[in-house]
Amino acid sequence: MIRLHDKYFKPFLSEKQILGAIQRMAQEIAVDYKDDTPIFVGVLNGAFMFVSDFLKEYPHSCEVSFVKLSSYQGLTSTGIVETLLDVPDNIEGRSIIILEDIIDTGRTLQKLVHLFSNTKVKEFKIASLFYKAEVYNGEYAIDYVGLEIPDKFIVGYGLDYKELGRNLREVYQLNQKYMINLVLFGKPGAGKGTQAQFLKEKYNLKHISTGDVFRYNIKNGTELGTLAKSYIDKGELVPDEVTIKMLEDEVDKNPDADGFIFDGFPRTTAQAEALDNFLESKDMKVDATIALEANDDILIERLLERGKNSGRSDDQDVSKIRNRFEEYSSKTAPLKDYYEEQHKFHSVNGIGSIDEITQRLTKVIDSL
Ligand code: AMP
């Protein structure tokens, strides 16, 4: 495994496999062009290694030139393809064979075809070392293909991740960890914390309870704790800016997690939107929001019982509990629609034994 910037990549194609594919391509093209002197046009920057190794294998008369286009930024194609080095001069009547390192969606290829469209060349062919057939949606047929590869981000042998990795002799594939990120949803006392304890073990997830983080800060007398206490004591929500920032910090503290259980967050639409944006910026997403449903009488009973043992001030007073329910109904309940629109909302009966409820949750998670 290698690391480039913030990402890990695992070996995918050996130098031998790559050179073997190039040799086959060179032989195939040589048969078609043995009586011609084609101009091979490499597409920079990615194709520089391919062009070099290809030419060493090409047995007949040929010329070489380059064009330079750019479209990738980081891991995803931006869709904007810029011409940085234009078509060579004096190509009228000549056979042009483009040497591309990789063709995926075909956007760069479209731009290339366009670049050469008015050049009155004799022939225009495309040879690509790597080809992602699954995602290619261009109309132009690829004339020569080295290796067909799945739709995974690759680096090495000329290809880069944010400019690193071009010098590698082999090709590596992005090591995408399979993550599950869950939002546990439900009124105070619904059992989110209890269930999170079981789920985090079973699925190897990091449990983040914003309520717990606040209580930890209160206990340690931090500035954040002092601020949060004034709201928590009244059964009100802590302001979004504070809570969102705190949540983001908690996620950032766990860069190696296989996923997260968000418990007690998001509680407002602004928090839900902030969470989506934040996760997206890290190539992550919420996979499911699971609501634990129970009626108010049962919840009040559970909370008062918990208050006796935990000493939580907000669990000992029915009026504070009711205030938390009201906060939930007005600010948090609308999130059901938010996640339903994304087809991520699941509802689970929260009444029953702890084990029964864990099983209901597990069934939902395993079906994702
Ligand atoms: P909990 O332990 O989840 O019941 O949270 C206890 C209290 O912490 C809540 O009543 C709020 O005052 C505060 N709190 C916890 N999570 C949030 C959140 N996501 N947004 C605002 N306030 C929160």
Side-chain angles (χ1 to χ4, degrees):
M1 196 100 99
I2 56 158
R3 183 180 178 157
L4 301 172
H5 296 292
D6 56 332
K7 300 261 184 278
Y8 291 88
F9 296 84
K10 58 185 176 196
F12 174 51
L13 295 168
S14 67
E15 188 178 16
K16 196 165 160 224
Q17 283 172 297
I18 300 166
L19 295 178
I22 293 172
Q23 212 169 36
R24 285 194 298 277
M25 289 178 90
Q27 282 161 5
E28 202 185 334
I29 297 173
V31 170
D32 295 349
Y33 288 86
K34 59 179 186 307
D35 302 323
D36 198 344
T37 300
I39 307 177
F40 291 110
V41 179
V43 184
L44 294 174
N45 291 335
F48 73 94
M49 276 208 194
F50 170 41
V51 173
S52 164
D53 285 330
F54 177 89
L55 291 179
K56 289 178 221 161
E57 294 294 335
Y58 193 76
H60 306 305
S61 164
C62 67
E63 293 177 24
V64 65
S65 187
F66 293 91
V67 290
K68 180 164 171 161
L69 302 172
S70 89
S71 77
Y72 265 99
Q73 254 177 16
L75 297 176
T76 49
S77 180
T78 57
I80 303 158
V81 185
E82 263 183 286
T83 310
L84 305 168
L85 180 65
D86 219 330
V87 287
D89 295 330
N90 309 323
I91 56 170
E92 202 175 314
R94 302 293 302 273
S95 298
I96 301 292
I97 301 170
I98 297 288
L99 296 182
E100 252 288 33
D101 45 336
I102 184 163
I103 290 177
D104 52 16
T105 61
R107 270 192 290 253
T108 310
L109 179 59
Q110 200 182 355
K111 178 81 183 180
L112 274 169
V113 172
H114 182 75
L115 268 182
F116 284 85
S117 60
N118 292 321
T119 52
K120 302 203 183 102
V121 294
K122 181 165 117 196
E123 260 193 309
F124 180 78
K125 294 277 156 101
I126 304 281
S128 185
L129 175 54
F130 303 119
Y131 174 50
K132 291 184 182 175
E134 276 169 53
V135 287
Y136 179 66
N137 57 21
E139 31 202 85
Y140 196 93
I142 318 298
D143 303 288
Y144 304 96
V145 170
L147 293 162
E148 239 185 74
I149 60 165
D151 183 23
K152 293 269 172 60
F153 187 84
I154 58 170
V155 292
Y157 198 76
L159 291 100
D160 72 311
Y161 168 54
K162 295 190 192 166
E163 294 308 325
L164 293 186
R166 294 195 196 274
N167 55 327
L168 299 164
R169 290 164 171 263
E170 313 81 16
V171 166
Y172 291 75
Q173 200 174 54
L174 180 65
N175 192 39
Q176 259 165 337
K177 265 200 296 186
Y178 185 70
M179 277 194 122
I180 317 178
N181 297 307
L182 303 172
V183 171
L184 279 186
F185 201 68
K187 285 187 176 174
K192 303 187 292 291
T194 307
Q195 291 301 331
Q197 294 308 319
F198 291 96
L199 298 178
K200 78 171 196 196
E201 294 298 326
K202 186 165 166 64
Y203 297 100
N204 195 25
L205 305 174
K206 169 79 190 156
H207 172 212
I208 301 181
S209 153
T210 40
D212 284 350
V213 182
F214 282 132
R215 282 184 288 277
Y216 177 84
N217 277 278
I218 293 172
K219 204 174 95 201
N220 289 289
T222 67
E223 208 177 309
L224 176 66
T226 314
L227 175 88
K229 192 172 183 335
S230 58
Y231 296 93
I232 294 177
D233 278 350
K234 285 181 269 176
E236 288 171 8
L237 292 188
V238 178
D240 282 340
E241 318 82 81
V242 180
T243 314
I244 290 167
K245 171 76 175 57
M246 182 182 87
L247 187 279
E248 293 180 354
D249 289 346
E250 289 298 312
V251 172
D252 284 337
K253 278 184 206 165
N254 295 281
D256 298 324
D258 287 337
F260 293 89
I261 301 176
F262 299 108
D263 159 8
F265 188 97
R267 262 176 155 101
T268 63
T269 309
Q271 290 180 13
E273 285 166 357
L275 182 63
D276 276 352
N277 292 334
F278 175 66
L279 292 182
E280 200 188 322
S281 75
K282 301 181 152 306
D283 267 338
M284 290 160 61
K285 64 178 190 327
V286 169
D287 294 284
T289 297
I290 313 180
L292 285 166
E293 313 274 9
N295 60 41
D296 286 5
D297 293 342
I298 289 190
L299 295 176
I300 292 174
E301 216 176 284
R302 281 189 194 168
L303 288 169
L304 290 172
E305 193 54 37
R306 184 169 79 181
K308 281 189 213 157
N309 305 318
S310 72
R312 275 180 60 170
S313 65
D314 56 348
D315 280 349
Q316 295 176 27
D317 180 326
V318 176
S319 74
K320 284 183 193 172
I321 292 176
R322 289 220 181 271
N323 199 32
R324 285 158 70 199
F325 286 179
E326 270 163 38
E327 288 277 81
Y328 182 89
S329 303
S330 65
K331 295 176 183 163
T332 310
L335 290 183
K336 182 176 181 211
D337 293 342
Y338 180 88
Y339 285 112
E340 255 174 358
E341 260 172 42
Q342 299 187 15
H343 308 288
K344 289 181 182 168
F345 192 83
H346 305 262
S347 182
V348 157
N349 179 0
I351 300 170
S353 70
I354 292 177
D355 193 41
E356 271 166 359
I357 300 168
T358 310
Q359 281 178 26
R360 288 173 202 152
L361 289 166
T362 304
K363 209 169 139 199
V364 173
I365 298 167
D366 290 343
S367 73
L368 291 175

